[in-house]
Amino acid sequence: MDMIYPNVEEILKQRYEELDNRTRWKKGDARNVFFNNYRDWIEYEAFILEFLEANSNIASISTLGTTVQGRSIPIITLSTGGDSKPGFYIQAELHAREWLANAATMWIMNQLGEDYQEGDETVVNILNNVNIFIVPTVNIDGYIYAWTTSRMWRKNRRNNGGGSFGVDLNRNYQVNPPSGNPTFTFCGTGASSNPNSDTYCGPSAYSEPEVQASRDFVLDSSNNIQAAWDMHTFGPLVLWAWAYTTSLVSPSSEYNRIQAYGHNLRDEIQAVNGHVYVSQPAAQLYPASGTAADFFYATAGAADAVTFEGRGPGFDPAASNIIPAGEEQYAAVKFAAQSIIP
């Protein structure tokens, strides 16, 4: 198999030097400057506070839950009020090394705020009719560890014992497919029961507090989640059900619906910068049991559920991809939000 970066060690060394030499973003700095580089978690927290102050008429913060190491996971709600509106849930950074995912998601959040304040008709209409819930970083512990210790760290930071750490949060969900689809087996294809594996599924479904937190929020009927996205980084892909099996969604009418949804998102993205994403069932990339998007779609009943694999190439694309990736996925976010307006 060809490597995306045959000289990966040299690339990582260069990235670390760039990050060490960057100007840190602090509260009071221009928000657009935040997206010129990747940011550590302290910078994220400062930016979120700045964003909330600038958008106090539409933005509020609460705690989704806590990480395995006890850190609070912030969730930002964008809304003009009203609990009965359809909900659009967006989470990023289940995988700690995929920094473009949470950076681009933060760009999307910031742009929604800026466009609303400037009176953009599309965004005003969206927020008048849809509640948008954004979790910029689910796996905060892993993200911090990827900054401080191991750039390619993927899992959370659960102590498995015997010197092993981490559960792959994107293999820790339970999936309950509707009748007519293959039976789901937890820790099946594409997941591992070996705690040392990068795809370790955990001791049981929903064993991880980060996964429990997202599960509980999406399943809470008061949030009325009708669209749910899971943001990742590897290559330009829009992935939809199924991930756990190579069988197509049944019935065929439902497969055709979700395929059309994915293709529409792909087209919205390509219209921005000409960057071509591929829209396909997730298992065509590789089968993986216990993913968030399969959970959103089957267990939680969010009809419009996708995994975004933003731009790439690989897990460590240059920071120059943050803004264009945000722009592309923002176009898809607006399309998706308008699609669930009653």
Side-chain angles (χ1 to χ4, degrees):
M1 182 177 71
D2 292 336
M3 294 181 65
I4 294 173
Y5 295 129
N7 55 336
V8 63
E9 293 300 328
E10 185 60 32
I11 292 292
L12 289 177
K13 180 181 177 182
Q14 178 184 338
R15 292 279 194 272
Y16 274 123
E17 289 174 353
E18 292 170 356
L19 292 170
D20 287 343
N21 293 328
R22 80 190 192 284
T23 300
R24 291 176 62 85
W25 193 93
K26 61 185 182 301
K27 195 170 182 295
D29 289 349
R31 293 203 306 279
N32 64 304
V33 174
F34 183 88
F35 304 103
N36 291 343
N37 215 326
Y38 291 116
R39 304 295 176 180
D40 64 29
W41 184 243
I42 294 172
E43 291 170 286
Y44 266 73
E45 289 183 319
F47 184 92
I48 290 170
L49 290 175
E50 182 85 6
F51 174 82
L52 291 167
E53 289 180 6
N55 296 279
S56 59
N57 56 334
I58 57 167
S60 60
I61 189 170
S62 55
T63 299
L64 182 75
T66 57
T67 68
V68 72
Q69 293 183 335
R71 294 182 173 92
S72 295
I73 304 170
I75 179 169
I76 295 89
T77 299
L78 301 179
S79 175
T80 56
D83 294 333
S84 62
K85 297 188 293 190
F88 185 0
Y89 176 82
I90 303 170
Q91 69 176 26
E93 201 69 8
L94 286 182
H95 289 154
R97 62 192 176 192
E98 299 178 16
W99 295 0
L100 182 62
N102 48 350
T105 300
M106 289 281 278
W107 192 93
I108 291 166
M109 181 182 76
N110 187 62
Q111 197 62 40
L112 283 165
E114 289 192 357
D115 284 351
Y116 183 87
Q117 304 304 342
E118 292 172 3
D120 180 276
E121 290 184 4
T122 297
V123 174
V124 169
N125 182 55
I126 287 171
L127 293 184
N128 282 339
N129 291 281
V130 176
N131 293 327
I132 299 180
F133 307 103
I134 298 177
V135 186
T137 303
V138 177
N139 185 8
I140 299 170
D141 300 341
Y143 185 64
I144 292 171
Y145 190 77
W147 267 86
T148 61
T149 307
S150 177
R151 175 63 187 88
M152 287 292 107
W153 186 257
R154 170 184 171 102
K155 302 183 287 182
N156 75 352
R157 290 297 298 163
R158 172 173 293 283
N159 187 342
N160 299 319
S164 170
F165 286 85
V167 169
D168 183 346
L169 300 179
N170 207 32
R171 300 294 186 274
N172 193 238
Y173 289 86
Q174 176 67 34
V175 178
N176 300 324
S179 176
N181 291 274
T183 300
F184 171 80
T185 301
F186 178 72
C187 209
T189 305
S192 173
S193 59
N194 180 356
N196 294 313
S197 170
D198 263 355
T199 58
Y200 175 47
C201 59
S204 61
Y206 307 131
S207 62
E208 303 314 291
E210 300 92 341
V211 170
Q212 294 167 19
S214 65
R215 173 201 64 189
D216 292 348
F217 187 89
V218 173
L219 290 179
D220 185 340
S221 60
S222 68
N223 296 321
N224 195 19
I225 303 301
Q226 297 186 20
W229 290 9
D230 189 34
M231 313 297 271
H232 289 258
T233 305
F234 182 74
L237 296 164
V238 180
L239 304 175
W240 28 277
W242 296 113
Y244 80 96
T245 176
T246 56
S247 296
L248 301 182
V249 167
S250 179
S252 59
S253 59
E254 176 59 11
Y255 174 82
N256 292 338
R257 185 200 67 80
I258 197 167
Q259 179 189 55
Y261 179 72
H263 288 2
N264 284 332
L265 298 178
R266 173 201 64 192
D267 295 345
E268 292 290 329
I269 288 169
Q270 188 170 348
V272 177
N273 296 316
H275 202 76
V276 178
Y277 279 57
V278 175
S279 166
Q280 66 183 41
Q284 288 186 9
L285 179 63
Y286 53 78
S289 65
T291 66
D294 274 4
F295 160 79
F296 294 152
Y297 177 68
T299 308
D304 298 341
V306 296
T307 299
F308 264 97
E309 293 282 357
R311 273 198 167 223
F315 299 118
D316 187 34
S320 57
N321 286 283
I322 294 171
I323 293 174
E327 292 171 338
E328 292 155 3
Q329 293 172 23
Y330 183 52
V333 163
K334 290 188 289 185
F335 172 86
Q338 291 177 95
S339 297
I340 61 174
I341 293 176

